[in-house]
Amino acid sequence: MFKNRVDPPEVGDNISALSAVSAPLLKVENLNLRKCSEMYYLPPLRRWLLPTLVTLVIIFFYKTYSQIETPVPRSLFQYSSKPPSEVVRIPISELKHKTLPHLNSSQNHASPAKEYYYSYKEQKDDPASNSISAWANPASNSHLDVLFQCPNKPNQFTNHIRLPNIIQNISNIPPLPTVKDTRAFWNPTIISLPYWSKNQYLLVSRIVTNGLHQENVVCEANICNAGLSKVTRDWEQPCTGEDLTYTGPSGGMRCASPPKILGVPPTPAEQCEGKYGAYVDIPGFHDPRIFWSEKGEPIMMVNTQSRYACFGLWAIDLRTLHTSLESLLSSSPTHPSLGPLMSYPTLTELTRNPPEDRSPIEKNWMHFFTVDGSSYLHYDLSARGGRTFAKLLGGGLTTVNLTDPLELPCLIDNDPDEKEEMKKKKGTWHQATNSLRLVLCYRADARCKPTSENTVFFAIIHHKYPNYLKLPLRYERFVMVWSATPPFSMLGISEHPIQMANETASGFSDAENWEDDEIALKEGRSNWAYFTYTTSIAYAWGRASDEPENKNWGYLDDEIILSIGIDDAGQGLARIDAKDLLQCLRACPGRGKKGGEEY
């Protein structure tokens, strides 16, 4: 019955049948695809040829046109505040300055945008309406009267004003020394430490080396009390016998621990030619200055080889070099923090704009800091050329000269018709120390409040006289004062050079030097040192709750500590109230007639 039945095929049989039919078709299709791929096939390296060519073209056009002047972004600079609204724009051309070129021989820097320059406010009839008018005539400014009083008479031979404060010695030998240290320390620079520090001061000294290389050391230090001063300082410990062995019978400053060498890296010299050729081979920095910024940063400025000339000035935060200082500043008992941010975490060269204003050898620049945290560099000053200063923009870059173009020079110099050689014999002016800000009233007076009208900057400058070998004969110490608000007008300078009680001036006889001291004349004292010079100033230790950000300013009854170099081979200090240091000043002419025209 089922003999002629045909069974349906199995599933596997159907697939086999389909495969047999479709196999020739797939072979034909694969053959066509293989032929197409062979037509467009690129070896592995060649397939990147076109993208590489496109990238090279883009780089070429970028390099070609990247030097086109473009606005500097506001975020590039630390200080981005807008200029005052009511201003008189002083064209750069009138100031006879050029902007920094876009291609510098050492660094490629674009010029800052115009809004980063200070614009001088318009002069108005109301003296209280703007800062220029308030300081335009220092002699008539009642806030400055305290500076122009002079209770002391000058020496009739040397013309110095002698103050009762003495110069004390500084010793870098710590207590209970285990090794005899025969090194000669000199050129000191000092800052006071915060009130919670177990030591009072930070001292940086230069070392006299056997070779040409320069070395500088740092230590924390204290001043002991020898019991001779009329001033009572409860925070000072009495001098021990060992202290007096190293500081002398008048006491002085002494390192609390062995001094450590400051490891500042060497810098290259861009161009030292002619008589400056030997400077290339003198490694190490010299003439350090240490000071506090407005933000509470401990900054050291050093003189060493320059990327822009032969020698220039560089800045670095001392916490980078002296790590215990970083721990100290981050341990305030009343203001816990990690310490202020660093403006100079690495060695940073300070610039002068435009570059052609630079000298082959630059030195003795000084910072000054305003209450808003801005910082400025005061470059130089002279009797005929006035002075120059600029605002720091970050990374060591500066604006052009911001001196009020109508400011009259304040320094008194030689006759402009004299021969250059005779002028040098009569001395030249040099900046010497860092600056401090001062409120012209007393901390002890509850009514005394800092204002823009009663606050000034001051620094010490030198009138340097050479001997017949053109080496230093003496450095005469003067105080220079300028306003603490733009355009930072020059206000006054010491009428007479300043001497401490045991200090003398080279070029004068013993009797002439001590003409103003009857006791010294009777004792027949001789000259104390060949020459002395002041390297830095700071507010002294002992102010209650003195945070780092307060270290840069003070009052008339605050004590100033002067770091003093002695004969380029020794070091000393003097302490004196600000009111005594800043007396017997003469007023600067301010703004006035220039070239026979009224401004």
Side-chain angles (χ1 to χ4, degrees):
M1 157 170 130
F2 300 101
K3 184 177 179 180
N4 298 322
R5 187 184 67 174
V6 177
D7 292 334
E10 296 293 333
V11 174
D13 296 337
N14 290 338
I15 294 175
S16 299
L18 288 172
S19 299
V21 174
S22 61
L25 296 175
L26 290 172
K27 289 180 179 179
V28 173
E29 184 68 24
N30 289 338
L31 181 61
N32 292 335
L33 289 173
R34 189 179 296 111
K35 289 181 179 180
C36 290
S37 63
E38 288 175 354
M39 292 174 62
Y40 296 100
Y41 173 76
L42 288 174
L45 292 178
R46 292 183 182 178
R47 71 183 62 178
W48 296 104
L49 182 60
L50 182 60
T52 302
L53 290 173
V54 172
T55 303
L56 288 174
V57 171
I58 293 174
I59 292 175
F60 172 77
F61 279 100
Y62 173 77
K63 289 290 187 179
T64 303
Y65 296 102
S66 62
Q67 303 301 331
I68 295 177
E69 182 176 354
T70 56
V72 178
R74 185 176 295 273
S75 60
L76 178 64
F77 298 109
Q78 184 176 357
Y79 312 109
S80 57
S81 57
K82 294 182 178 180
S85 55
E86 297 182 8
V87 299
V88 175
R89 299 286 181 179
I90 305 296
I92 297 297
S93 59
E94 291 187 12
L95 294 176
K96 297 181 180 180
H97 287 288
K98 300 177 182 179
T99 55
L100 190 68
H102 302 294
L103 284 176
N104 183 276
S105 60
S106 299
Q107 296 283 329
N108 292 338
H109 297 313
S111 296
K114 290 184 178 179
E115 60 262 30
Y116 297 105
Y117 294 101
Y118 179 78
S119 299
Y120 296 98
K121 296 181 179 181
E122 184 178 7
Q123 185 118 356
K124 299 180 180 179
D125 293 334
D126 181 9
S129 63
N130 69 73
S131 59
I132 288 185
S133 293
W135 305 108
N137 187 4
S140 62
N141 190 325
S142 60
H143 292 289
L144 304 178
D145 288 347
V146 64
L147 305 178
F148 303 140
Q149 300 172 7
C150 193
N152 302 319
K153 292 182 179 180
N155 183 305
Q156 63 173 326
F157 299 105
T158 68
N159 197 38
H160 286 77
I161 293 287
R162 188 179 297 279
L163 300 177
N165 312 70
I166 64 170
I167 296 177
Q168 297 174 282
N169 289 324
I170 297 175
S171 172
N172 291 77
I173 309 301
L176 303 175
T178 57
V179 179
K180 185 177 181 180
D181 195 337
T182 59
R183 293 176 296 180
F185 300 89
W186 60 300
N187 216 40
T189 177
I190 302 168
I191 56 173
S192 61
L193 293 171
Y195 69 93
W196 66 87
S197 172
K198 67 177 182 179
N199 295 310
Q200 302 165 356
Y201 295 95
L202 193 73
L203 166 68
V204 172
S205 304
R206 191 171 169 184
I207 299 177
V208 177
T209 61
N210 294 328
L212 291 176
H213 69 285
Q214 310 290 311
E215 284 188 357
N216 294 266
V217 296
V218 61
C219 73
E220 293 183 11
N222 298 300
I223 298 177
C224 69
N225 185 0
L228 303 178
S229 175
K230 297 179 181 179
V231 180
T232 302
R233 303 179 181 92
D234 297 333
W235 54 87
E236 289 183 355
Q237 296 294 322
C239 293
T240 65
E242 186 185 65
D243 290 333
L244 298 178
T245 298
Y246 289 105
T247 64
S250 298
M253 178 178 288
R254 191 178 177 197
C255 284
S257 58
K260 298 179 180 179
I261 294 177
L262 285 170
V264 175
T267 57
E270 175 74 11
Q271 189 175 18
C272 290
E273 298 178 344
K275 63 180 180 180
Y276 302 118
Y279 286 86
V280 178
D281 300 321
I282 303 178
F285 68 94
H286 59 277
D287 293 343
R289 302 285 188 271
I290 61 176
F291 48 88
W292 293 99
S293 77
E294 184 66 24
K295 302 173 186 176
E297 306 160 283
I299 297 175
M300 181 171 71
M301 185 168 62
V302 301
N303 199 210
T304 186
Q305 283 88 347
S306 168
R307 297 174 302 167
Y308 302 99
C310 184
F311 260 65
L313 290 119
W314 302 65
I316 189 170
D317 195 298
L318 269 170
R319 288 171 289 178
T320 303
L321 306 172
H322 189 57
T323 54
S324 61
L325 191 56
E326 183 175 12
S327 302
L328 175 65
L329 297 190
S330 59
S331 61
S332 170
T334 54
H335 295 77
S337 72
L338 296 177
L341 295 175
M342 294 187 184
S343 299
Y344 303 101
T346 59
L347 194 62
T348 304
E349 182 161 17
L350 306 172
T351 63
R352 189 165 187 163
N353 188 357
E356 53 264 29
D357 281 357
R358 292 183 65 100
S359 297
I361 304 291
E362 291 284 10
K363 60 185 303 183
N364 297 331
W365 294 356
M366 65 178 169
H367 284 74
F368 62 95
F369 305 92
T370 55
V371 292
D372 64 356
S374 299
S375 55
Y376 295 79
L377 275 178
H378 204 287
Y379 295 116
D380 49 35
L381 67 165
S382 66
R384 293 175 296 280
R387 61 193 180 119
T388 56
F389 68 86
K391 184 176 182 178
L392 278 157
L393 300 171
L397 300 178
T398 62
T399 65
V400 293
N401 180 27
L402 298 183
T403 307
D404 183 352
L406 308 184
E407 179 180 280
L408 299 175
C410 186
L411 298 177
I412 296 176
D413 211 342
N414 310 297
D415 185 349
D417 295 329
E418 282 184 324
K419 293 182 178 180
E420 192 64 28
E421 190 64 27
M422 184 58 66
K423 292 176 185 178
K424 291 181 179 179
K425 289 182 179 180
K426 292 188 175 181
T428 53
W429 292 98
H430 298 268
Q431 294 181 174
T433 71
N434 57 295
S435 69
L436 296 174
R437 201 166 72 249
L438 177 69
V439 183
L440 297 175
C441 51
Y442 292 87
R443 183 183 291 271
D445 186 352
R447 299 167 299 175
C448 175
K449 305 295 181 184
T451 68
S452 59
E453 288 77 24
N454 68 357
T455 305
V456 298
F457 289 111
F458 73 94
I460 288 178
I461 61 176
H462 287 146
H463 202 191
K464 179 181 176 182
Y465 290 86
N467 59 19
Y468 65 95
L469 295 176
K470 298 183 180 180
L471 297 174
L473 175 66
R474 67 177 180 274
Y475 293 88
E476 293 188 339
R477 183 185 298 115
F478 290 77
V479 176
M480 160 186 162
V481 178
W482 66 102
S483 64
T485 54
F488 308 110
S489 306
M490 278 283 287
L491 303 176
I493 186 173
S494 301
E495 180 74 28
H496 309 278
I498 301 168
Q499 275 188 342
M500 300 302 148
N502 54 344
E503 199 172 12
T504 56
S506 293
F508 300 95
S509 68
D510 297 348
E512 290 173 335
N513 261 301
W514 298 110
E515 177 270 339
D516 51 359
D517 188 328
E518 293 183 2
I519 297 178
L521 279 175
K522 291 179 180 179
E523 294 176 352
R525 290 184 195 172
S526 59
N527 284 358
W528 180 71
Y530 184 71
F531 64 81
T532 57
Y533 49 92
T534 310
T535 55
S536 68
I537 53 176
Y539 284 106
W541 169 275
R543 303 191 302 186
S545 303
D546 207 4
E547 296 286 340
E549 59 267 25
N550 300 327
K551 288 289 186 180
N552 192 51
W553 67 279
Y555 295 84
L556 287 171
D557 47 350
D558 284 340
E559 194 172 51
I560 309 294
I561 183 167
L562 280 64
S563 307
I564 297 173
I566 304 170
D567 289 345
D568 273 350
Q571 51 186 353
L573 66 94
R575 288 177 291 177
I576 180 172
D577 285 350
K579 61 179 173 57
D580 297 324
L581 184 64
L582 277 78
Q583 63 177 347
C584 299
L585 271 63
R586 61 172 175 80
C588 291
R591 288 180 137 208
K593 292 183 178 181
K594 213 171 189 182
E597 298 181 9
E598 184 73 38
Y599 286 84

